[in-house]
Amino acid sequence: MAVKRKQQQLHTLNIPLEWILLLPFVMQLIGTIALLTTLSNYYWTFLICGMMLLLSIAFGVFAYRWIKQKIEHIELSLEASNKKYKTLFDILPIGISITDPNGNLIAGNLASEKILKVPNQKLTSRTYDSHEWQIVQFDGSPMPSNEYASVRALAENREIDNVKMGLLDELGNVRWLSVSAAPIPLEGYGVAITYVDISGLKHTEEALRQSESRLQAFLDNAPTPISIKDLEGTYLSINQEFAYWMQADYEKVVGKKDYDLFSHEAVKITRDMELQAIFEGIAVSFEETLHLPSSQRTFIIT
């Protein structure tokens, strides 16, 4: 209520600054003209001088009050703005750090403390390329400081997005992050750095890679030719027996379709059976004669 009352008072004194500055010159002009016309009369001279003195005092009091309330209004607006900025800065779910033009970290939000596992008091004693940061690349090798997103953003004066890096803690555990940085176009500031924890994504990708490796190992050790296609009939993977059967390298088959490898008549039969398996969700088995580079052979295809 007190803030609201102050704001209402300020509206009553919403007078342009130019008028305030012009008022003493108008008073001096009027007083000078009046004095020039009454110099021969001491009574009027003293009266006019007294009136000008009183008006000057009144003007000074009014100007002081007006300037004071303007300053209070600015301070209130600044305080509200800072409060909104601090609230938004702290509640954002992604980590944010800010540096000065020399790369010294000067601020960090609560999420950055949780992600980096470094208190803000300790964080602001570091630089963005400090040796205290133990950073590894996504393949596990050490990352040079000149490849950090923050260092590149400040050096190149441009936004650097989605640099994947691993942050080692004191126990040697790795927390995988996606880091972006962008220059701040304000005097006294360097770059804003954001952190997103992608440890779950990293572990999922690693599990997928291991699963694909196991699948490929199983396929390569199978005694029969095996291929994997997508819904459009493009070869995604083949085993070693399939490559031997085709008398072609892995790279020359994967990414191709049957139309690139076999005759149109043979492909049509094969494709019809594939579509039946796709849309009906059943296993199909059929016999097909194919012309291979070595000779013509008949196969049972499932």
Side-chain angles (χ1 to χ4, degrees):
M1 291 298 293
V3 173
K4 187 174 181 181
R5 194 157 43 244
K6 283 186 177 181
Q7 290 177 341
Q8 289 176 347
Q9 291 175 358
L10 290 172
H11 288 308
T12 61
L13 293 174
N14 192 17
I15 301 173
L17 180 60
E18 293 81 358
W19 291 13
I20 300 295
L21 296 177
L22 186 62
L23 185 57
F25 295 103
V26 173
M27 290 169 53
Q28 291 180 13
L29 178 62
I30 295 173
T32 301
I33 295 172
L35 285 172
L36 289 175
T37 59
T38 60
L39 284 176
S40 58
N41 191 319
Y42 289 109
Y43 173 79
W44 284 106
T45 301
F46 283 116
L47 180 61
I48 292 172
C49 289
M51 290 178 62
M52 288 182 63
L53 179 60
L54 291 174
L55 288 174
S56 297
I57 293 172
F59 165 75
V61 172
F62 174 79
Y64 169 77
R65 184 183 175 192
W66 182 87
I67 293 172
K68 182 180 178 182
Q69 291 193 351
K70 280 291 182 182
I71 292 174
E72 289 176 353
H73 177 66
I74 293 171
E75 288 176 345
L76 286 171
S77 300
L78 183 60
E79 183 181 352
S81 178
N82 286 338
K83 189 174 182 179
K84 290 178 183 177
Y85 161 77
K86 187 70 169 58
T87 302
L88 291 173
F89 188 65
D90 283 337
I91 68 172
L92 284 174
I94 61 174
I96 302 176
S97 296
I98 295 173
T99 76
D100 64 13
N102 298 318
N104 299 305
L105 291 164
I106 57 176
N109 67 348
L110 297 177
S112 69
E113 283 190 336
K114 294 180 181 179
I115 294 173
L116 300 177
K117 302 298 182 183
V118 179
N120 278 328
Q121 294 84 351
K122 190 175 180 181
L123 181 71
T124 52
S125 66
R126 296 185 184 182
T127 60
Y128 64 173
D129 58 353
S130 171
H131 67 277
E132 296 179 79
W133 300 115
Q134 298 186 54
I135 307 295
V136 295
Q137 301 184 84
F138 222 49
D139 61 3
S141 61
M143 176 177 280
S145 60
N146 60 3
E147 294 184 15
Y148 295 176
S150 52
V151 175
R152 290 180 55 196
L154 193 58
E156 302 173 20
N157 193 33
R158 67 183 182 92
E159 184 176 342
I160 305 295
D161 290 322
N162 197 28
V163 176
K164 295 182 176 64
M165 58 175 61
L167 180 64
L168 291 169
D169 61 19
E170 296 176 353
L171 300 177
N173 300 316
V174 182
R175 188 177 304 102
W176 295 102
L177 308 175
S178 174
V179 182
S180 300
I184 302 175
L186 296 173
E187 186 177 354
Y189 291 91
V191 293
I193 314 163
T194 62
Y195 318 92
V196 178
D197 193 327
I198 58 170
S199 298
L201 174 62
K202 172 66 174 176
H203 297 325
T204 301
E205 288 183 353
E206 183 64 23
L208 178 60
R209 186 189 65 78
Q210 293 178 1
S211 177
E212 290 177 342
S213 297
R214 288 193 292 267
L215 175 61
Q216 191 62 45
F218 167 77
L219 295 177
D220 287 340
N221 287 281
T224 57
I226 300 176
S227 66
I228 300 175
K229 301 178 183 179
D230 64 14
L231 295 179
E232 296 179 355
T234 303
Y235 284 93
L236 300 178
S237 180
I238 62 172
N239 68 348
Q240 294 178 355
E241 190 68 21
F242 190 95
Y244 173 77
W245 173 63
M246 284 289 297
Q247 295 295 298
D249 294 333
Y250 181 93
E251 293 77 13
K252 292 183 178 179
V253 177
V254 172
K256 302 288 183 63
K257 296 180 184 294
D258 282 332
Y259 289 106
D260 301 319
L261 306 171
F262 306 111
S263 66
H264 181 80
E265 293 77 12
V267 171
K268 186 177 186 309
I269 296 173
T270 304
R271 186 58 179 161
D272 287 344
M273 294 299 174
E274 288 176 348
L275 292 174
Q276 181 182 352
I278 290 170
F279 289 109
E280 296 183 12
I282 60 173
V284 296
S285 181
F286 61 98
E287 186 176 302
E288 182 59 50
T289 299
L290 300 174
H291 293 272
L292 302 178
S294 57
S295 63
Q296 177 176 310
R297 296 185 185 181
T298 300
F299 294 93
I300 300 298
I301 301 178
T302 301

